[in-house]
């Protein structure tokens, strides 16, 4: 039986208590948003406070959307994220220029299928790709899932599944797509940026049930 474990990222954190609770639940990463116009955008001082609440071995992901180079550098200096996430029209050279691991959000809500080969050419240095349900040019956070059958075959990078995921559908999402990780924000909230402890707990529990389903479905070696 394989040891399947889907990683979990809680994004759009705005309260230190939510960060600590997420870590206690075994969440692998927390996302801090610096995209202008986001309802969950943090100032540097707010982000530093949240960063101080993150225990060891939990990734801190800094999320940007078309921020300029100095914005990104300032966040890196002040907040010390472990991973960068780019959600806008940034090209692969820009994303790679900060000498840090990074992931790129890919809009899956358009009418044209996304090809793994094209993504590999556009973002060859990405540590991973985040498949989100927004349309090209959109900002994400739509709260609506995309068609999971459209996940590109043959991706050479780990992918994170995002967009419209919550405790009610994440088990099905994991079973349908087998992602490296799932990424949730509004699906664990009572209001933008305000995480709900019960929804967080239910979400984690459903991901673990999906992992159990996958492990039990694997053929036994021998």
């Amino acid at each position: 039986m394989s040891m399947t474990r889907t990683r979990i990222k809680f994004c759009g954190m705005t309260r230190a208590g939510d960060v600590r609770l997420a870590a206690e639940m075994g969440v692998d990463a927390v996302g801090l948003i610096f995209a202008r116009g986001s309802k969950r955008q943090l100032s540097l001082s707010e982000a530093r406070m949240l960063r101080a609440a993150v225990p060891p071995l939990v990734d801190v992901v800094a999320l940007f959307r078309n921020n300029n180079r100095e914005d990104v550098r300032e966040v890196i200096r002040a907040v010390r994220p472990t991973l960068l996430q780019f959600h806008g029209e940034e090209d692969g050279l820009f994303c790679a220029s900060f000498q840090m691991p990074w992931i790129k959000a890919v809009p899956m809500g358009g009418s044209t299928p996304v090809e793994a080969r094209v993504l590999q050419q556009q973002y060859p240095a990405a540590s991973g790709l985040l498949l989100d349900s927004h349309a090209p040019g959109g900002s994400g956070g739509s709260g609506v899932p995309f068609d999971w059958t459209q996940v590109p075959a043959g991706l050479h990078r780990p992918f994170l599944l995002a967009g419209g995921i919550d405790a009610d559908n994440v088990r099905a999402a994991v079973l349908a797509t087998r992602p490296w990780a799932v990424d949730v924000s509004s699906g664990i909230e009572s209001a933008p940026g305000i995480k709900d402890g019960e929804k967080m707990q239910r979400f984690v529990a459903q991901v673990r049930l999906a992992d159990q389903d996958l492990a039990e479905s694997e053929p036994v070696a021998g």
Side-chain angles (χ1 to χ4, degrees):
M1 189 177 291
S2 70
M3 293 296 290
T4 301
R5 188 171 83 80
T6 305
R7 275 70 179 172
I8 299 173
K9 173 174 170 253
F10 282 177
C11 200
M13 310 301 282
T14 64
R15 303 188 299 181
D18 292 340
V19 169
R20 284 190 284 267
L21 184 57
E24 288 169 9
M25 291 177 179
V27 168
D28 300 273
V30 293
L32 308 181
I33 295 180
F34 301 94
R36 290 192 178 93
S38 169
K39 296 174 183 176
R40 303 167 184 85
Q41 182 185 359
L42 299 170
S43 67
L44 288 178
S45 60
E46 289 169 335
R48 278 195 294 262
M49 182 181 68
L50 296 187
R51 179 67 172 95
V54 180
L57 306 185
V58 176
D59 270 322
V60 177
V61 184
L63 188 152
F64 305 97
R65 185 176 67 242
N66 299 328
N67 296 66
N68 63 43
R69 195 176 301 277
E70 189 48 44
D71 276 353
V72 179
R73 286 178 174 154
E74 196 171 23
V75 168
I76 292 170
R77 283 193 297 266
V79 184
R80 296 176 295 108
T82 50
L83 188 67
L84 308 180
Q85 178 177 324
F86 296 99
H87 239 277
E89 281 74 56
E90 305 91 353
D91 61 23
L93 285 174
F94 179 89
C95 298
S97 68
F98 302 98
Q99 310 301 313
M100 282 190 63
W102 55 276
I103 55 180
K104 184 68 175 72
V106 177
M108 298 296 295
S111 55
T112 306
V114 177
E115 295 184 31
R117 175 183 55 82
V118 173
L119 295 177
Q120 181 69 14
Q121 290 171 348
Q122 288 178 317
Y123 312 114
S127 297
L129 299 168
L130 185 142
L131 307 183
D132 203 352
S133 57
H134 63 289
S139 61
S142 67
V144 179
F146 68 91
D147 179 357
W148 297 326
T149 65
Q150 298 300 309
V151 170
L155 285 174
H156 296 297
R157 293 283 181 275
F159 76 89
L160 294 74
L161 189 72
I165 303 174
D166 57 25
D168 293 329
N169 66 7
V170 70
R171 186 175 182 180
V174 170
L175 294 176
T177 65
R178 300 195 176 200
W180 172 254
V182 287
D183 187 341
V184 62
S185 182
S186 61
I188 52 168
E189 290 180 337
S190 55
I194 307 302
K195 305 308 184 196
D196 180 297
E198 185 180 349
K199 289 182 178 180
M200 293 162 75
Q201 186 65 60
R202 282 187 60 226
F203 187 91
V204 172
Q206 289 297 311
V207 175
R208 297 298 167 240
L209 284 173
D211 288 347
Q212 191 175 321
D213 294 340
L214 288 173
E216 290 173 354
S217 69
E218 290 288 330
V220 177

